[in-house]
Amino acid sequence: MTKACFYETLGVPRGASDEVIKKAYRKLAMQYHPDRNPGNPEAELKFKEINEAYDVLKDSQKRAAYDRYGHAAFENGAGMHNGGFGFSDGSFADIFDDLFGEFTGRRRGGQAHSRGADLRYDLEITLEEAHRGKTTTVTIPTTVSCGKCHGSGAEAGSEPELCRTCHGRGKIRSQQGFFMVERTCPSCHGVGQFISNPCTSCGGQGRVHKERTLQVKIPPGVDDGTRIRLSGEGEAGLRGGPAGDLYIFLSLKPHPIFQRDGAHIFCRVPISMVTACLGGEVEIPTVDGERVKVSIPAGAQTGRQFRLRGKGVNMLNRNARGDMIVEILVETPVNLTKKQKELLRAFEAEGGDDVSPECKGFFSRVKEFWSDLTDGAGR
């Protein structure tokens, strides 16, 4: 039986380029793959034929020999490997990548169109800015697509060429005993392409270094450590590849008055001893810049807290706010004059223990404790 012409098997003309041959082979290989045609001997035979044809035509030396001598150049099975379907070192990998590469993330072509790196930018904001949100401008050093070659890496009038050694995969596979060894292509160094006439502006990289100024919108309610992702604003990809992302990491400056815990605001307010004794009002600020009055009852002690509902910070992505917690701190008078000291002593003598119930209760318990110790030692 006369063997079919390899060009006819793949459905391409004799002068077809490597890319046309590869495209035709991939289409046919997926169509007649045994996994897609279980139990079909005709598909199995066709799959064997197209692999044998592609194994010859993809290789420039084998193709030249075939064009000159035809099938006689590969008598005695010279064009086959390992029997069976005759996979070359890259045929099965081509099929696997075409069928499953989209799902596994594997892409042929080495690093020719690799994704650009992600970038990080640390931005410090105030508590008020975190509460209200803001739009700010940042300047970042990065790489952008080369304007001269439009990211291709090649000088005007030329294009990157597919590496003939690895056929654009960026890797070479070879059989060593029972094992298949894969290594970086020595011709293109894993890129899958080579540029004979590189762009003079970017040196063939397809990207150049440049500072970019971007507007960043900070939503209300962000907290310390919040991360904002700007898709596609990272470094440009290699030779027209997709750009990476930019991540803005937020940190809050220390506030002179407030401490934040989630959506709640804490504020410690010192009050005078007289205000604590007699009661009164204190005026304090809020994170909105307003002023609110807090009524202090007579006899208030240090550590007492007052909750102001809805006076905290905005909650991220929610139409709600936290609370403001006001904690009072009774301040002991200092730098007293002689007369002030005399008045305090007279006050103490006049009031007795009833004006300080906490002190009275504590020292009563101490007296009982000492009494129990003494009675236990005497037994």
Side-chain angles (χ1 to χ4, degrees):
M1 180 177 178
T2 305
K3 184 178 291 188
C5 170
F6 287 157
Y7 290 102
E8 293 178 358
T9 298
L10 296 181
V12 296
R14 282 189 170 269
S17 65
D18 291 345
E19 190 62 32
V20 170
I21 291 174
K22 179 182 287 188
K23 186 176 180 180
Y25 162 71
R26 290 173 181 167
K27 182 179 179 180
L28 292 171
M30 286 190 287
Q31 179 181 351
Y32 293 101
H33 193 280
D35 289 346
R36 291 191 171 187
N37 302 273
N40 187 340
E42 293 181 2
E44 183 176 313
L45 179 61
K46 183 67 174 178
F47 186 67
K48 175 182 176 181
E49 291 175 352
I50 61 178
N51 273 282
E52 181 182 5
Y54 180 65
D55 187 53
V56 171
L57 298 185
K58 74 172 183 176
D59 187 289
S60 58
Q61 294 181 354
K62 290 182 181 179
R63 183 178 178 181
Y66 179 75
D67 289 344
R68 185 171 184 180
Y69 301 108
H71 294 298
F74 307 101
E75 291 179 352
N76 301 321
M80 302 288 287
H81 296 275
N82 300 324
F85 295 135
F87 290 116
S88 69
D89 62 348
S91 298
F92 184 74
D94 283 339
I95 301 167
F96 184 85
D97 285 346
D98 276 330
L99 294 176
F100 307 107
E102 196 69 33
F103 302 99
T104 62
R106 293 178 55 185
R107 307 296 298 172
R108 288 181 309 280
Q111 301 173 3
H113 303 288
S114 62
R115 181 178 181 273
D118 294 334
L119 297 179
R120 170 174 176 155
Y121 186 91
D122 295 327
L123 180 62
E124 189 176 51
I125 60 176
T126 66
L127 177 61
E128 290 81 1
E129 291 170 339
H131 167 61
R132 296 189 301 266
K134 65 175 295 187
T135 299
T136 187
T137 301
V138 299
T139 301
I140 57 171
T142 183
T143 59
V144 298
S145 180
C146 176
K148 184 177 181 181
C149 66
H150 305 290
S152 70
E155 194 65 28
S158 62
E159 293 289 339
E161 300 177 28
L162 199 67
C163 176
R164 289 183 176 271
T165 303
C166 66
H167 301 284
R169 290 191 301 272
K171 297 181 182 296
I172 296 295
R173 296 182 178 93
S174 59
Q175 188 82 28
Q176 292 187 3
F178 292 102
F179 301 99
M180 184 70 72
V181 178
E182 185 177 84
R183 58 190 175 87
T184 301
C185 175
S187 299
C188 66
H189 305 289
V191 175
Q193 296 179 347
F194 71 93
I195 299 176
S196 58
N197 188 18
C199 172
T200 56
S201 179
C202 64
Q205 294 293 308
R207 55 188 181 182
V208 293
H209 291 279
K210 184 179 180 181
E211 282 195 343
R212 294 185 62 200
T213 300
L214 302 171
Q215 278 198 334
V216 180
K217 185 176 181 180
I218 301 172
V222 295
D223 204 347
D224 195 81
T226 296
R227 186 183 70 173
I228 298 175
R229 174 174 173 262
L230 301 181
S231 179
E233 298 294 352
E235 288 192 345
L238 182 65
R239 296 182 186 172
D245 299 331
L246 172 63
Y247 291 91
I248 307 293
F249 284 80
L250 302 178
S251 61
L252 268 59
K253 297 178 182 178
H255 199 277
I257 299 176
F258 304 122
Q259 292 82 44
R260 179 178 177 179
D261 184 9
H264 299 314
I265 292 291
F266 288 84
C267 180
R268 296 192 72 187
V269 180
I271 61 174
S272 69
M273 185 181 69
V274 175
T275 302
C277 292
L278 304 180
E281 286 186 339
V282 292
E283 191 176 66
I284 57 175
T286 67
V287 72
D288 293 309
E290 303 172 348
R291 297 181 179 182
V292 295
K293 291 183 178 180
V294 178
S295 296
I296 308 296
Q301 304 294 319
T302 290
R304 179 160 182 178
Q305 294 183 344
F306 303 87
R307 182 180 292 269
L308 305 181
R309 300 285 181 182
K311 294 297 183 181
V313 298
N314 289 312
M315 296 183 184
L316 185 63
N317 299 325
R318 292 177 58 187
N319 187 25
R321 293 182 61 169
D323 300 332
M324 182 174 179
I325 312 299
V326 177
E327 182 178 308
I328 62 172
L329 172 66
V330 181
E331 187 175 19
T332 302
V334 296
N335 303 321
L336 299 176
T337 65
K338 181 178 180 181
K339 183 177 181 180
Q340 289 170 330
K341 292 178 182 179
E342 291 173 354
L343 290 173
L344 284 175
R345 289 191 182 100
F347 165 77
E348 185 179 29
E350 179 68 22
D353 293 337
D354 292 337
V355 298
S356 303
E358 290 289 336
C359 290
K360 181 180 179 181
F362 175 77
F363 287 110
S364 294
R365 291 191 295 273
V366 170
K367 184 177 180 180
E368 291 175 2
F369 175 70
W370 282 339
S371 178
D372 292 342
L373 288 178
T374 302
D375 292 344
R379 292 192 184 97

